[in-house]
Amino acid sequence: MKRFIAAGALGVLSAAFSASAAAAPPKIETSPVTFTMSSKACRHLPRGTTIRGKGTMRSVTTTTIVQGGATRVINSSHARGTATDQARNTYVFDYSNTFNVRNLAPSPSLYTGLMYDLFTLSGTGPAQLANGFLAQFTTDLGTFARLDPVNTFGDPVNFGAGTARCDPL
């Protein structure tokens, strides 16, 4: 399920959750990202295409205690970078993922809310992508994460298998 949580976000969430008081300061992390994707998984890439990308991701997580004692966790992650294909065409990519979840008294270790995800790729070559989704997100902020799609465009992920298709981050 690592596809559904931005790189390191679960660790960030756990750290932010454990440090939370009424309003913990935001946890900000920056990390390198890399990906490889091919037309075998992403049907929107031209046949025989393999894209390799690298860039930097910035993730900001805020944890607060809201009315009634529930905990709200908001994470926004954004990555930008460059990519090339097998023919040495150059591209830029942009990735954004945001979720807003909170726990409920009957199940305090389970968090639910919405997640928005977007991945775009553009450049000098024939591979041009725009994929994304809005989904109901359920997690325990550690090992469990489930997405139930509300709306999708492009072909971002296989929701049933939890694997990337045209949204490699």
Side-chain angles (χ1 to χ4, degrees):
M1 274 283 180
K2 77 174 191 172
R3 162 61 197 90
F4 294 128
I5 305 295
L10 281 178
V12 170
L13 291 174
S14 296
F17 177 70
S18 64
S20 70
K27 174 80 172 173
I28 301 171
E29 288 191 332
T30 302
S31 60
V33 293
T34 61
F35 68 86
T36 300
M37 64 184 202
S38 74
S39 57
K40 290 180 183 177
C42 177
R43 63 186 169 96
H44 293 294
L45 290 175
R47 183 175 293 212
T49 299
T50 298
I51 305 284
R52 288 180 174 76
K54 64 181 178 179
T56 302
M57 183 176 297
R58 182 175 189 259
S59 181
V60 179
T61 304
T62 304
T63 303
T64 57
I65 304 300
V66 295
Q67 186 176 13
T71 301
R72 170 164 289 159
V73 179
I74 300 171
N75 175 270
S76 180
S77 297
H78 189 88
R80 288 188 176 155
T82 59
T84 57
D85 65 17
Q86 73 287 346
R88 296 188 184 163
N89 292 306
T90 59
Y91 302 88
V92 294
F93 71 87
D94 190 69
Y95 171 76
S96 291
N97 178 284
T98 300
F99 63 85
N100 182 339
V101 295
R102 64 179 273 181
N103 64 356
L104 300 173
S107 186
S109 63
L110 200 59
Y111 293 73
T112 61
L114 291 175
M115 177 185 281
Y116 170 77
D117 188 273
L118 173 67
F119 178 85
T120 61
L121 178 80
S122 60
T124 61
Q128 308 292 317
L129 296 174
N131 302 280
F133 63 84
L134 174 66
Q136 182 68 36
F137 181 43
T138 305
T139 182
D140 65 359
L141 302 178
T143 60
F144 172 74
R146 185 181 80 214
L147 290 172
D148 296 309
V150 174
N151 193 3
T152 66
F153 61 94
D155 190 16
V157 298
N158 177 332
F159 288 95
T163 56
R165 287 186 177 153
C166 299
D167 184 347
L169 297 174

